[in-house]
Amino acid sequence: TLHSIIFIPAYYVIITYDTSDYIYKYFTIMSCAYYLNMIIYEIVIPQSSPYYMLLMIVHHTLCGFVQLPVYYLGGILPILSAYCFQCEISNLFMDISWFAQQFESRIWYKLSGYGILITFPLTRCVMVPIALYKAYDIYDKNIVPMEYYWFAMFGYIFVIVMSLTYSISILINPTPLLKMVEKVQSDVKELKETKKVL
């Protein structure tokens, strides 16, 4: 949740186009640390399936290493990073949904579900392509090392494909986001999935 709130200073950077905002640059270091920490979390704590675990490890690795040089290289990179951070708006609703299920609050679960349905496709399928376009625009301008450029481009495309896939699935079948499964049933299902992984 704390990582999701970084979208606020990121939004400020987009609005002001202030690439020298050192406060935001420090946030990118924290973000990189968060992503790398999440890789350990994905490995240590069993996920719903090996496929999901691998997907999230790749996702967090790409995101972490894309954030890594933002503070050092500067230039236009904080702007590109800030655009991508708008994705975190949907994560706030995902966090609320998780807590709602733990406390068995059907109202908050449904409200957060609507929040996910609106913000996930909007932020991830609109803002990230904008960042991708702006990243493409700096090609051959020697603003950043080309190795980083291609790594970042691959990361953007990966996130877009992943986001499009999930967005289509939740728009076709929004029921799991809006109708809360009883916690006991959810725990039993999670236990069964964990046994499959082990």
Side-chain angles (χ1 to χ4, degrees), residues 119-145:
T119 60
F120 192 95
L122 183 63
T123 57
R124 294 173 186 260
C125 299
V126 175
M127 298 305 285
V128 177
I130 290 174
L132 178 65
Y133 171 77
K134 289 186 174 292
Y136 178 77
D137 194 45
I138 66 174
Y139 181 71
D140 273 348
K141 293 183 181 178
N142 296 320
I143 296 175
V144 297

Side-chain angles (χ1 to χ4, degrees), residues 6-111:
I6 297 178
F7 85 85
I8 298 173
Y11 186 70
Y12 169 80
V13 171
I14 294 172
I15 295 299
T16 61
Y17 218 78
D18 183 4
T19 58
S20 62
D21 187 341
Y22 284 100
I23 295 177
Y24 178 73
K25 289 181 180 179
Y26 284 122
F27 278 127
T28 63
I29 297 173
M30 293 168 57
S31 174
C32 176
Y34 162 81
Y35 284 122
L36 297 180
N37 182 65
M38 285 301 294
I39 295 171
I40 299 172
Y41 170 83
E42 300 293 344
I43 296 172
V44 173
I45 299 178
Q47 301 301 304
S48 58
S49 70
Y51 166 76
Y52 178 78
M53 180 178 72
L54 180 62
L55 180 69
M56 296 312 293
I57 288 174
V58 173
H59 171 60
H60 289 136
T61 301
L62 289 172
C63 291
F65 282 102
V66 166
Q67 292 284 22
L68 184 61
V70 172
Y71 179 86
Y72 176 72
L73 294 176
I76 197 175
L77 292 187
I79 300 294
L80 303 181
S81 170
Y83 272 110
C84 289
F85 253 118
Q86 300 312 300
C87 297
E88 296 297 318
I89 297 173
S90 61
N91 283 4
L92 282 174
F93 291 103
M94 290 180 173
D95 293 339
I96 294 171
S97 178
W98 184 87
F99 280 109
Q101 186 163 30
Q102 302 311 304
F103 290 100
E104 300 183 343
S105 173
R106 294 181 180 278
I107 295 175
W108 280 104
Y109 189 85
K110 193 167 190 176
L111 289 174

